[in-house]
Amino acid sequence: MTGAGRGGAAPVGAGFENYLAASPPDDGRLRLFCFHHAGGGATAYASWQRELGPDVVVLPVQLPGRETRAREPRITDMAELTGVLNRVLGPALRAPFAFYGHSMGGAVAYNLTLARQRRGERLPERLLVGACPAPHLPAVLASTEAMSDEEMARVLVRIGGMSEMMLRYPDWLTAATDQVRDDLRVCTGYDRTELPPLACPVEVFSGVDDPLLPAGDAAAWESHALAGFRLHRVPGGHFFFRESPESPEAPEEFFRALRGAVARMATVAR
């Protein structure tokens, strides 16, 4: 599909409407493309527009094989996935934009940024990643690949990535863990040896109680950031952007830090 969408949106590529709920308005605001965690979907970012305010357009990216795209085959290869994303989102990446990726989404956002850098294409104003180790380090949950479905599910329940109710429904549990396994293949299957530093600033968000991401693995992103680096240690565990009984203040602290990053980029975009 090409041409202008509603509200004077920028032209978009074939398949664009599958990955974004709507074409981004061409109104000069910063575009924040958000990539979801393993086993997740675009609805993880449903509240973010409200949280971040009117200076940014929040654009959750929906990968195939989940939620509204549940009937589509999932992509399990990082190079294939970033190639598809660059093709379908590329026309919307000509105006000022940023990437945020959480856990697996951080690896996807990083690899998409790196692919664009290698092609000499426009880079994000900033790469923002949450709960994601530096690119040269092993992916989170990589050790769960050999686990049974129930063992993996219990790990996901413990970190807040799956409802405990799923343990009572074997068919649902199998479907959910199959999706996580496919997403983990994306995270573990790319070459980690030739990773030049990025020519855009990088900001990393890390939960102080995240059992999957030691502080050093988050800080190690600095070696991949040629144009500036900032590490935010925020309350909460692996899913610090969600409210939980253990850390009810976590989302508030995280969004305060994220709003600061967005404000800095929005000023540049204007």
Side-chain angles (χ1 to χ4, degrees), residues 27-255:
D27 57 7
R29 286 184 294 165
L30 179 77
R31 299 170 177 182
L32 179 63
F33 294 85
C34 299
F35 300 89
H36 54 73
H37 57 277
T43 57
Y45 298 105
S47 69
W48 282 40
Q49 185 67 69
R50 182 179 69 253
E51 293 286 355
L52 297 181
D55 288 340
V56 61
V57 180
V58 177
L59 299 165
V61 178
Q62 185 70 286
L63 300 185
R66 65 210 73 223
E67 295 183 347
T68 58
R69 306 184 66 186
R71 295 181 180 275
E72 300 177 44
R74 290 186 285 270
I75 300 174
T76 60
D77 178 77
M78 181 67 82
E80 179 185 356
L81 178 58
T82 54
V84 170
L85 288 170
N86 202 39
R87 175 176 59 81
V88 298
L89 300 180
L93 303 180
R94 296 169 184 162
F97 69 94
F99 290 152
Y100 177 88
H102 197 85
S103 198
M104 176 192 81
V108 172
Y110 164 78
N111 278 275
L112 178 54
T113 301
L114 183 60
R116 290 181 65 81
Q117 179 169 292
R118 286 171 168 159
R119 293 165 62 98
E121 296 172 325
R122 183 172 190 149
L123 299 183
E125 302 298 317
R126 273 181 175 79
L127 172 64
L128 309 171
V129 297
C132 181
H136 62 280
L137 299 174
V140 299
L141 293 177
S143 62
T144 67
E145 287 185 293
M147 291 181 178
S148 69
D149 288 351
E150 185 171 346
E151 289 171 329
M152 175 183 279
R154 291 191 181 280
V155 172
L156 295 171
V157 168
R158 188 167 65 249
I159 65 171
M162 180 182 288
S163 168
E164 190 170 7
M165 180 184 69
M166 298 289 282
L167 299 175
R168 301 198 296 268
Y169 298 92
D171 291 345
W172 293 5
L173 185 148
T174 297
T177 53
D178 282 351
Q179 181 178 323
V180 173
R181 292 184 195 282
D182 281 349
D183 287 347
L184 287 178
R185 292 187 183 98
V186 174
C187 299
T188 59
Y190 68 91
D191 185 5
R192 287 170 158 76
T193 58
E194 298 293 333
L195 303 175
L198 298 177
C200 65
V202 177
E203 296 199 29
V204 176
F205 301 85
S206 172
V208 296
D209 298 318
D210 187 345
L212 303 181
L213 185 64
D217 289 5
W221 274 94
E222 186 169 11
S223 65
H224 297 269
L226 191 65
F229 171 77
R230 182 175 296 195
L231 174 62
H232 304 270
R233 295 279 286 162
V234 298
H238 195 67
F239 293 98
F240 48 72
F241 62 87
R242 296 177 181 167
E243 189 170 327
S244 67
E246 297 80 13
S247 191
E249 79 283 10
E252 181 180 349
E253 292 292 328
F254 165 65
F255 282 116

